[in-house]
Every structure is written in structure tokens, then in C-alpha cells.
Amino acid sequence: QCATTKTMTVVVNDNVTPTFTQLGPYCVSATPGTLPTTSTNSITGSWSPSTISTASAGSTVYTFTPTAGQCATTATMTVVVNANVTPTFTQLGPYCEGATPAALPTTSTNSITGTWSPSTISTASAGSTVYTFTPTAGQCATTATMTVVVNANVTPIFTQLGPYCVGATPAALPTTSTNSITGTWSPSTISTASAGSTVYTFTPTAGQCATTTTMTVVVNANVTPTFTQLGPYCVGATP
């Protein structure tokens, strides 16, 4: 053939691996980010699965396939979805009306931080109140509740003692009321050494929802009987 030699330079480009900013981890039911259709090094393509699911906990591999015509390989991203933890707390109460309650803890026993609503326990009145704990954002945790009971204070009831006469032997002040409240008295025993009224105060033993109460014990003075003097008489007279 009447022909000369000729050359052709053929270029073969390296395949580029698409790179992406890692997404996640997420909490179950959280709103995930969107899988980007263009990599950080400018490769376009699509994902399989196409969207991130946070319906359940676990790790899922998402595969990126470059659009045809680009010298690029497939790439993967493993997205982690963590289970939500339920915060746990040591139960507080029950309390008595007017008692000083403990502070609601801002960190659970399983290390979840957050806030309460209402923020403090009130013992102003008897009843049950539900306190709700909301975890600080960024933790895989659910809300939690604690029901705190405040019991009404009982007034101890006693059978009235006395009145007594001066010098009489009095009954002992009972250390348990008729409605089952235990405690101590001040003064601790009834004195009949002198006439008058004395107030004895009963203080319930700690740990009972009960108020102090009083009993007024009366000691009456001894009366000397008086008579109209009889006589004198004469021997044989009718007295």
C-alpha cells in the first residue's frame, strides 16, 4: 500500500472513588440527612437504597453507583441508627404534706441528661403528680415520667385523760394514738402535784405523715368538807 506509518495516543484514566461526608449516626425515628447525588470529588450518581431509613436500630450499607460515562467506581456508606434509651430514675417519695422533697435529678441512673416539667417537687398539698423528664437534644433517649405521691398529714387522736385531784395517781400518756400514730409527749408524764391545767404536746415519730397535737389535763384542788357545828348537848338531850 502506498502509505506511511501513523501513531495514535490513547489515554486511559484512573477510576475515581467517590467520597462523601459520613452521615449519622441517627436515633430511631429521627429525621435523617439526604444522601447526596454528587460526591465531594464531583462524581454524580444514585444510591441504593435511595433514602436513609431510621425506622429501626442497626447498621445499613448504602451503595453509590456513578452515572455512566464517568471514570469512577461504586462507593458505599454505612449508616448507623441507634436505639432510643428510656431514662431510669430512683423513685422519689412518698412525702408528707409540707415536707422538704429531694431534688429531681438532671442525670438518669443510665446517664441520660435532661430537664423536668414541673422542675421541682411540690408538697404543698396531698395527691399524686406526674413529673416528665425530657432528654437533652443529641441523645438517643425517650421522655420518661415519675409519679410522686404526697400524703396528707394525720392528726393523732387520744382519749382525754383527767381531770385528776391533787395527789392522785394519773394514767400514763399513751405513746400510740387511737389512730395508730406513734410518738412522744412533752412533758412526758402527767403531774398532779398542784392544781391547774397543763398542756401536754405529742410529737409523732419521724417518718409518719402526722402533725403534733396537744392534750390539756386538769388537776383540781382538794376541797376540805365544811359542816355546821353541832352541839354542845346536855346529858340525855336529843342530838
Side-chain angles (χ1 to χ4, degrees), residues 80-177:
V80 175
V81 177
N82 293 317
N84 287 317
V85 176
T86 300
T88 55
F89 297 92
T90 301
Q91 176 66 46
L92 298 180
Y95 296 105
C96 302
E97 263 186 287
T100 301
L104 289 163
T106 55
T107 302
S108 69
T109 55
N110 53 347
S111 303
I112 304 300
T113 60
T115 57
W116 290 90
S117 180
S119 60
T120 57
I121 296 172
S122 171
T123 61
S125 60
S128 296
T129 303
V130 177
Y131 295 83
T132 302
F133 179 81
T134 302
T136 304
Q139 301 172 99
C140 288
T142 61
T143 59
T145 61
M146 183 189 295
T147 301
V148 179
V149 175
V150 177
N151 293 318
N153 287 317
V154 176
T155 300
I157 300 170
F158 295 94
T159 301
Q160 177 64 46
L161 299 180
Y164 296 105
C165 298
V166 170
T169 302
L173 289 163
T175 55
T176 301
S177 69

Side-chain angles (χ1 to χ4, degrees), residues 174-205:
T175 55
T176 301
S177 69
T178 55
N179 54 346
S180 303
I181 304 298
T182 61
T184 57
W185 290 90
S186 179
S188 59
T189 57
I190 297 172
S191 171
T192 61
S194 61
S197 296
T198 303
V199 177
Y200 295 83
T201 302
F202 179 81
T203 302
T205 304

